[in-house]
Amino acid sequence: MNRGTLYVRNRYSRQIEYTGPLTTALDRETRLPEAVRRWVLEARKRYEHLDEERFLRYLAVALPTSMELLMQGYLVSVDPDGAAPQPEALSRAGAD
């Protein structure tokens, strides 16, 4: 189940480190920065009583507002439309 597109940007270098679907399998996503993957894994353990849909809703709100990730240098955002833009589009928009 996909709840949108997740973007992880390095706060200091402004580089996008990860762009991909917001799914419940984020804790197994190898391209995701380790700090974000660890945060998702801890959230999964803490909220194991939630069904998949509710857990994704939680991630969509909690990831972008996580002070822990911000302090570790990551700006996280979620695009609920779900369509991940192509790298060329990001370059034209000045995201790189």
Side-chain angles (χ1 to χ4, degrees):
M1 176 174 281
N2 184 347
R3 189 81 178 159
T5 302
L6 177 69
Y7 300 93
V8 179
R9 182 185 298 262
N10 184 299
R11 178 176 151 191
Y12 305 106
S13 70
R14 311 288 289 172
Q15 294 290 324
I16 293 178
E17 295 196 13
Y18 176 81
T19 301
L22 178 61
T23 66
T24 56
L26 278 177
D27 55 339
R28 295 183 300 273
E29 177 59 60
T30 58
R31 297 180 300 128
L32 199 61
E34 181 61 33
V36 179
R37 189 170 51 238
R38 188 173 45 250
W39 189 95
V40 171
L41 184 60
E42 290 172 8
R44 178 182 292 285
K45 290 177 185 174
R46 191 175 314 126
Y47 298 105
E48 64 186 350
H49 61 280
L50 295 179
D51 62 25
E52 185 174 328
E53 175 67 22
R54 287 188 177 154
F55 184 66
L56 285 174
R57 279 191 264 158
Y58 167 76
L59 288 180
V61 172
L63 273 170
T65 59
S66 170
M67 287 303 292
E68 178 183 342
L69 292 176
L70 184 62
M71 296 297 289
Q72 292 184 35
Y74 295 105
L75 299 171
V76 180
S77 61
V78 175
D79 177 13
D81 294 334
Q86 299 301 318
E88 304 84 45
L90 289 172
S91 296
R92 284 193 301 270
D96 286 346

